[in-house]
Amino acid sequence: MKTFKVLGSGCKSCQTLATMIEHEASRRGVEYELVKVTQPQDIMAYGVMKTPAAVLDGQVIHKGSVPSKEAVERWFD
Amino acid sequence: MFQVFTDLASWLVYDVLGFSPEQGFAAALHFFIEDTSKIFCLLAVMIYVIGFIRASLDVERVRDYLAGKNRFLGYVLGASFGSITPFCSCSSIPVFLGFTSAGIPLGITMAFLITSPLINEVAVLLLAGLLGWKFTTLYITVGISIGVLGGLFLDAIGAQRWLQPFVAKALEKGQAGLPTEVNQSSPLSARQRHQFAKQETSVIFQRVWKWVFIGVGLGAALHGFVPDGWIENHLGGGQWWSVPAAVLVGIPLYSNATGVIPVMESLIVNGLPIGTTLAFCMSTVAASFPEFVLLKQVMRWPLLVTLFAVLLTAFTLVGWLFNFIPTL
């Protein structure tokens, strides 16, 4: 099972990113876990300065923008 | 160069719609059409061009660059980078923490963060288009100076003791020289730059278009409906109290630079002294409660209050200074 984390203070772009992941997961019918990380302290621990960012199984895979749809699809491959 | 937008507005309002230039409503409409068309054209072209040029500049590179710099130069560089580095205001906390944990002194980080909302490419374009290059240069100089002096002051009083404990710890660790990760990014191709610039243009447009309408709408209302000479007669003398008053009025008003600049234009045209106008606009843009609520996560109250006081004092001084320099 893939574990995603969305890092960000809860701004609109972070919401969008979370929704994109949920959407793609349910389209594929795969099991996943999605955690929203909003505490600055926790975001800092990932060394991320630009939000929204996405973490997959402990690795930062994207930061600083809302990714393209294709990018999100690749995370599930 | 911008005459075409004036002509377009005159043609639409006076020829097509048949209003007469003496009507307040027509003057307001003329102002609105002229400014919105001008602003949208400027934005579309220039954001793309600037995006193309600065595609490779981002907060992470700036951090790595600033981390190794001489302290005094650091303030100036911090403030200058604040004015040209793109980042969304919702990222200001992570940026703050990223700088801090790289061991960059608080004052330099604050120089970056203070300048950032005051000066950005959209603001510069609008100012140049609406109020001319002289005023724009002045605005940029003042904005950067406030960042530099604000940063210097915060370090001089040892403001870092008022950081939240986890931030203070990160700063200490960074200054002890523990290695922070350095980003390796490869040079960008023209294609990547185009992609970035295109995305940047569309993102900025989506973010600012409503501000343009609101700002120009307010400016137009001032233009058409506030009786001629009212502002000039009541506030045109640059009475000393009008500057702090303008700063106070600006605090609860929260707007970004895009929304406030058309209002600025209208205020100046209507005879409000330049210092009072600057004070009002900078206060609207840079001193906002939502921003301060966010900063509470990384700063304790004494620091927040100090920062707020520094900003308000700076804007007031700027206002007085420019009101009393009559040549501008």
Side-chain angles (χ1 to χ4, degrees):
Chain A
M1 189 178 71
K2 287 177 192 292
T3 304
F4 286 97
K5 287 181 179 164
V6 171
L7 316 184
S9 56
C11 61
K12 196 161 158 263
S13 306
C14 315
Q15 275 307 322
T16 313
L17 175 55
T19 315
M20 284 171 86
I21 294 173
E22 282 164 1
H23 190 85
E24 181 61 19
S26 62
R27 195 180 67 89
R28 298 184 177 225
V30 293
E31 262 193 70
Y32 71 106
E33 194 191 357
L34 180 68
V35 186
K36 288 181 188 167
V37 180
T38 54
Q39 284 301 314
Q41 216 165 338
D42 305 333
I43 296 176
M44 187 174 71
Y46 285 96
V48 163
M49 283 170 68
K50 293 180 293 183
T51 57
V55 172
L56 172 57
D57 299 332
Q59 290 289 317
V60 178
I61 47 173
H62 180 86
K63 56 190 172 182
S65 64
V66 174
S68 66
K69 202 161 162 284
E70 293 72 36
V72 177
E73 284 169 14
R74 274 198 302 278
W75 298 344
F76 282 87
D77 289 338
Chain B
M1 176 181 169
F2 298 121
Q3 185 60 31
V4 55
F5 299 105
T6 316
D7 294 343
L8 171 76
S10 304
W11 175 73
L12 272 173
V13 176
Y14 305 137
D15 298 346
V16 177
L17 297 173
F19 290 114
S20 116
E22 281 81 49
Q23 292 164 287
F25 175 76
L29 189 64
H30 186 276
F31 180 90
F32 186 79
I33 293 174
E34 179 182 344
D35 269 19
T36 45
S37 60
K38 182 156 63 179
I39 289 170
F40 282 127
C41 281
L42 272 172
L43 285 183
V45 177
M46 293 306 293
I47 295 175
Y48 179 86
V49 173
I50 293 168
F52 196 89
I53 297 170
R54 69 166 193 196
S56 50
L57 182 75
D58 69 16
V59 282
E60 288 163 343
R61 284 182 167 221
V62 170
R63 177 197 55 188
D64 296 344
Y65 182 75
L66 285 178
K69 279 293 169 291
N70 158 306
R71 194 162 171 120
F72 188 77
L73 199 61
Y75 296 105
V76 179
L77 288 172
S80 311
F81 277 121
S83 63
I84 53 175
T85 311
F87 74 95
C88 146
S89 69
C90 57
S91 284
S92 50
I93 296 301
V95 167
F96 182 89
L97 290 172
F99 276 36
T100 309
S101 51
I104 297 174
L106 175 68
I108 296 179
T109 305
M110 288 317 299
F112 180 91
L113 286 178
I114 292 174
T115 319
S116 173
L118 284 175
I119 306 176
N120 59 53
E121 77 281 14
V122 179
V124 168
L125 281 173
L126 290 183
L127 280 171
L130 300 177
L131 291 161
W133 278 112
K134 199 169 139 190
F135 189 85
T136 309
T137 316
L138 185 75
Y139 181 89
I140 295 174
T141 315
V142 168
I144 291 185
S145 311
I146 292 180
V148 170
L149 297 175
L152 271 169
F153 176 77
L154 289 172
D155 276 348
I157 61 167
Q160 73 268 15
R161 65 179 185 274
W162 296 319
L163 289 167
Q164 294 286 7
F166 81 95
V167 185
K169 215 173 286 165
L171 178 64
E172 235 168 74
K173 224 162 105 189
Q175 287 181 331
L178 296 184
T180 43
E181 235 185 285
V182 176
N183 280 277
Q184 305 288 348
S185 28
S186 43
L188 298 175
S189 67
R191 211 186 122 77
Q192 285 171 306
R193 283 175 182 274
H194 165 72
Q195 277 303 330
F196 176 85
K198 213 176 77 180
Q199 207 206 348
E200 188 83 346
T201 312
S202 107
V203 168
I204 293 184
F205 237 95
Q206 283 171 27
R207 202 171 65 216
V208 306
W209 70 269
K210 44 186 183 299
W211 290 103
V212 173
F213 277 117
I214 295 171
V216 178
L218 280 174
L222 273 170
H223 205 75
F225 301 117
V226 175
D228 272 353
W230 189 91
I231 292 182
E232 190 154 13
N233 292 336
H234 289 79
L235 299 165
Q239 292 87 334
W240 71 268
W241 53 264
S242 66
V243 173
V247 171
L248 290 178
V249 172
I251 299 171
L253 299 176
Y254 173 54
S255 161
N256 57 22
T258 319
V260 93
I261 288 167
V263 177
M264 214 158 151
E265 179 200 15
S266 195
L267 288 171
I268 290 177
V269 170
N270 276 296
L272 190 67
I274 213 158
T276 317
T277 311
L278 269 175
F280 169 71
C281 293
M282 291 190 152
S283 164
T284 305
V285 173
S288 78
F289 289 124
E291 185 86 354
F292 275 78
V293 170
L294 281 177
L295 286 177
K296 180 70 182 68
Q297 298 178 80
V298 291
M299 299 175 178
R300 292 190 291 125
W301 281 116
L303 181 50
L304 274 184
V305 173
T306 311
L307 180 62
F308 205 57
V310 165
L311 286 179
L312 299 188
T313 313
F315 300 148
T316 308
L317 291 177
V318 164
W320 280 336
L321 186 69
F322 285 103
N323 279 355
F324 296 130
I325 298 175
T327 47
L328 287 159

